[in-house]
Amino acid sequence: MSPPPPPLLLPLLLLFLISATTTEAASASPIATLPPSPSPTSSPTAPSTKTPSPASSPTPPTTKTPFPSINSTLNPKQLRALQSLDIPTAQDPCIQPSPHNATICDSSSPFRQLVSLRLSNCSSELSLSYTALKSLSTLQSLSFTNCPVTPIRFPLDLAISLHSFTCIHSLKHLTGIGLSRFVNLTDLTVSNVPVNTSGLYAVLGNMHKLRSVTISNANVTGYIPKHLLFNLTHVDFSGNRLKGKIPSSITLLENLESLNLYSNALTGAIPDNLGDLISLKNVSLGSNSLSGAIPDSISAIPDLAYVDLSSNKLNGTVPKFFAEMKKLRYLNLENNEFHGVLPFNLTFMKRLAVFKVGGNSNLCYNHTILSSKLKLGIAPCDKHGLPLSPPPAKDSSSGGDSESDSSDYNDEGGDSNSKKEGHHGPNKVVLGVAIALSSIVFLIVFLILLSKRCG
Ligand SMILES: *[C@@H]1O[C@H](CO)[C@@H](O)[C@H](O)[C@H]1NC(C)=O
Ligand SMILES: *[C@@H]1O[C@H](CO)[C@@H](O)[C@H](O)[C@H]1NC(C)=O
Ligand SMILES: *[C@@H]1O[C@H](CO)[C@@H](O)[C@H](O)[C@H]1NC(C)=O
Ligand SMILES: *[C@@H]1O[C@H](CO)[C@@H](O)[C@H](O)[C@H]1NC(C)=O
Ligand SMILES: *[C@@H]1O[C@H](CO)[C@@H](O)[C@H](O)[C@H]1NC(C)=O
Ligand SMILES: *[C@@H]1O[C@H](CO)[C@@H](O)[C@H](O)[C@H]1NC(C)=O
Ligand SMILES: *[C@@H]1O[C@H](CO)[C@@H](O)[C@H](O)[C@H]1NC(C)=O
Ligand SMILES: *[C@@H]1O[C@H](CO)[C@@H](O)[C@H](O)[C@H]1NC(C)=O
Ligand SMILES: *[C@@H]1O[C@H](CO)[C@@H](O)[C@H](O)[C@H]1NC(C)=O
Ligand SMILES: *[C@@H]1O[C@H](CO)[C@@H](O)[C@H](O)[C@H]1NC(C)=O
Ligand SMILES: *[C@@H]1O[C@H](CO)[C@@H](O)[C@H](O)[C@H]1NC(C)=O
């Protein structure tokens, strides 16, 4: 792992600069980033955000190209399209950063082209025109947030140009067929807008480059597709009406970092081999109707940080392996059908930001290990490991607020020492008083006896 020899450093640095700029605004059109020859207008290192100085010493031939004067302004057609979308254009929209990063342009010539457009908080009078969208077919990223405009059919050129499409509480409604035309997407986010589709596969089936997908609170019905054989890293289908089982083929998504299926109507067991998802950090399967036990394979996921299995019908015992998961910060198992003795101690619970197990009527905690002050929302165990009594009613509400939950532990942590003092405190006082009293009595008796003897 010794540093590369100096002659290697400059090309590496250059490569880094290029990749840094291309991942940002300047990724531009293929013509600009993949020049057949070093033409003055197409150097990808051109954007003035990077200082040219590091590459100015004797260097490989590529840097001999003079920096082009990017002096062109936005393509006039696109300028008109922006005006029709209420984007202020008094200032050149290609000057960075534009307000709210609404517009990002490439560096092509003679006119720069838009590569990214973000519309937010649109006026309700705004309307999309096909002509305007057609002229924006250079866009790679298009985002609508709080834009209640009437949706129209997107021109095909634009649909296949997009790498990223975001629609949050916008466009009133979408169709699966419309979305499925965005075949080059790597990122798809649709949230809080109903999507009329026969199922997720109809939307995603042709998006072979997808890396991150959110289709949440979109009223989508049907099943989770068996074939999500992409390089997905983020999957969020929360807040829909998906039914059926979680297909075990989901464990083929070996780069998956977050899986959110919260609040659907999923049934059946959690796939036994869920632990094959070794990149997983967040998993939320809460608020479904999943049954069976928590699979042991989960213990093999090294970086798991966030686990929400709440409000299902999961049973079996609570696995002890959670206590061994070093990265775990959030564990919500409440409102299930777990039984047995809770296998955790205070050390573990204090390490978590949120820990919830309430609403499992057959689960209990060992009161020699955990204090009732923790308000876990479950009963203490008897000596056979069965719940002693139903949990006090007030406890069941403690699951509601995560903040107060975690502070409960902190209070408890502080208390656990002082609590012992508290127990011993009164005893010591009583003992002290008793000793003092008895010694006074003894003294008086002694004095009386003494005085009688002497007297
Ligand atoms: C760049 O534009 C400015 C005004 O915006 C102009 O004065 C200058 O001559 C232009 N430079 C080139 C090289 O076109
Ligand atoms: C605009 O983009 C820059 C660089 O990509 C980023 O640092 C900044 O936070 C963004 N601003 C807004 C308001 O999104
Ligand atoms: C949109 O409106 C919300 C709240 O009304 C505000 O917080 C947000 O900053 C606005 N975003 C833009 C880009 O104007
Ligand atoms: C998008 O996908 C189509 C195939 O449907 C392909 O021909 C085209 O080159 C892709 N475009 C971009 C910009 O990646
Ligand atoms: C969801 O779909 C159902 C029936 O398919 C419909 O009645 C309901 O209005 C939809 N909800 C939303 C928010 O679109
Ligand atoms: C959903 O799509 C189907 C078939 O395309 C159509 O018959 C139905 O009216 C649509 N529903 C809504 C609410 O748009
Ligand atoms: C998945 O990603 C890896 C590297 O991240 C890449 O080598 C592979 O080609 C990708 N596969 C597909 C189907 O995109
Ligand atoms: C996991 O969840 C936490 C808390 O909700 C969030 O901050 C984090 O960004 C998520 N990480 C991933 C990879 O989704
Ligand atoms: C757990 O639930 C499954 C499926 O509902 C059931 O078959 C099994 O008997 C249950 N196990 C226990 C220990 O209750
Ligand atoms: C708490 O449990 C963990 C894991 O089971 C264990 O390593 C640790 O020693 C326990 N701590 C105490 C104070 O019992
Ligand atoms: C509770 O913990 C104590 C001390 O570790 C142990 O002796 C006892 O068997 C446990 N009780 C139950 C019901 O697990």
Side-chain angles (χ1 to χ4, degrees):
M1 296 295 278
S2 60
L8 271 177
L9 268 174
L10 277 170
L12 276 181
L13 185 66
L14 196 69
L15 204 65
F16 172 73
L17 280 180
I18 289 171
S19 64
T21 51
T22 46
T23 52
E24 301 228 340
S27 62
S29 63
I31 309 121
T33 50
L34 299 169
S37 63
S39 98
T41 53
S42 59
S43 167
T45 56
S48 53
T49 51
K50 303 284 169 192
T51 47
S53 45
S56 57
S57 47
T59 44
T62 48
T63 55
K64 277 183 193 162
T65 37
F67 284 98
S69 55
I70 297 180
N71 215 11
S72 57
T73 48
L74 185 61
N75 180 331
K77 271 191 195 168
Q78 297 193 334
L79 199 64
R80 278 197 295 280
L82 290 185
Q83 281 156 357
S84 82
L85 294 170
D86 276 0
I87 304 265
T89 52
Q91 204 191 13
D92 185 344
C94 293
I95 289 171
Q96 294 303 318
S98 69
H100 309 295
N101 290 348
T103 51
I104 298 177
C105 307
D106 70 5
S107 53
S108 52
S109 200
F111 294 117
R112 299 176 72 174
Q113 314 277 359
L114 278 172
V115 290
S116 173
L117 176 61
R118 283 207 223 172
L119 296 169
S120 25
N121 301 346
C122 307
S123 135
S124 54
E125 277 121 61
L126 190 66
S127 67
L128 296 175
S129 90
Y130 188 88
T131 324
L133 290 182
K134 176 109 177 128
S135 73
L136 296 176
S137 296
T138 55
L139 285 178
Q140 296 179 356
S141 173
L142 177 58
S143 162
F144 298 91
T145 306
N146 298 323
C147 282
V149 296
T150 304
I152 63 164
R153 189 179 161 81
F154 280 54
L156 186 61
D157 292 351
L158 175 58
I160 67 171
S161 171
L162 289 178
H163 296 185
S164 168
F165 179 73
T166 300
C167 177
I168 299 170
H169 196 247
S170 298
L171 298 180
K172 294 180 177 164
H173 53 85
L174 295 170
T175 66
I177 293 172
L179 288 171
S180 70
R181 296 160 71 237
F182 299 174
V183 293
N184 290 321
L185 288 186
T186 58
D187 289 80
L188 172 62
T189 302
V190 172
S191 187
N192 293 295
V193 47
V195 177
N196 185 2
T197 179
S198 58
L200 288 170
Y201 192 73
V203 182
L204 306 175
N206 290 320
M207 297 182 186
H208 301 292
K209 301 174 188 169
L210 210 53
R211 302 301 291 260
S212 171
V213 55
T214 296
I215 300 180
S216 65
N217 303 321
N219 213 11
V220 172
T221 56
Y223 301 91
I224 295 176
K226 283 202 174 61
H227 302 285
L228 282 171
L229 300 176
F230 323 125
N231 272 346
L232 285 169
T233 57
H234 298 272
V235 169
D236 180 350
F237 297 145
S238 61
N240 288 297
R241 296 188 290 139
L242 299 173
K243 60 189 175 186
K245 291 181 162 191
I246 301 173
S248 65
S249 57
I250 203 156
T251 60
L252 295 172
L253 307 179
E254 57 181 21
N255 297 316
L256 200 61
E257 289 175 21
S258 87
L259 176 63
N260 187 352
L261 303 174
Y262 188 85
S263 187
N264 278 286
L266 300 169
T267 53
I270 299 174
D272 254 350
N273 53 345
L274 194 75
D276 290 356
L277 296 173
I278 54 161
S279 307
L280 211 54
K281 294 184 174 67
N282 286 11
V283 59
S284 177
L285 309 176
S287 290
N288 281 286
S289 297
L290 300 169
S291 55
I294 298 179
D296 284 340
S297 68
I298 289 180
S299 66
I301 305 175
D303 294 331
L304 204 56
Y306 183 103
V307 177
D308 184 355
L309 304 176
S310 64
S311 300
N312 279 291
K313 295 171 183 168
L314 298 170
N315 67 10
T317 54
V318 171
K320 195 172 164 47
F321 64 68
F322 283 122
E324 316 297 329
M325 305 190 100
K326 296 284 178 281
K327 301 274 177 69
L328 198 63
R329 290 294 172 269
Y330 182 108
L331 181 60
N332 189 348
L333 303 174
E334 71 184 4
N335 301 325
N336 276 291
E337 295 166 12
F338 295 116
H339 67 84
V341 183
L342 188 70
F344 303 133
N345 59 25
L346 191 62
T347 317
F348 169 71
M349 290 180 198
K350 279 167 74 178
R351 183 159 66 75
L352 300 187
V354 174
F355 174 72
K356 298 182 187 181
V357 284
N360 286 283
S361 53
N362 293 320
L363 189 66
C364 60
Y365 66 91
N366 186 334
H367 57 88
T368 63
I369 295 174
L370 295 171
S371 154
S372 62
K373 285 192 177 176
L374 285 171
K375 293 182 187 159
L376 291 169
I378 54 174
C381 302
D382 65 12
K383 61 177 188 285
H384 307 293
L386 296 171
L388 256 179
S389 58
K394 64 174 162 95
D395 285 355
S396 57
S397 66
S398 74
D401 185 346
S402 60
E403 305 282 39
S404 75
D405 266 13
S406 48
S407 61
D408 274 353
Y409 302 138
N410 294 337
D411 290 346
E412 181 58 28
D415 276 3
S416 58
N417 294 329
S418 60
K419 190 183 65 194
K420 279 184 186 164
E421 304 272 0
H423 276 299
H424 288 204
N427 290 348
K428 273 182 186 162
V429 171
V430 170
L431 201 67
V433 169
I435 290 174
L437 277 178
S438 52
S439 23
I440 289 173
V441 170
F442 182 79
L443 195 69
I444 291 172
V445 171
F446 179 75
L447 285 177
I448 291 171
L449 285 176
L450 198 70
S451 65
K452 274 189 181 168
R453 236 188 228 181
C454 294

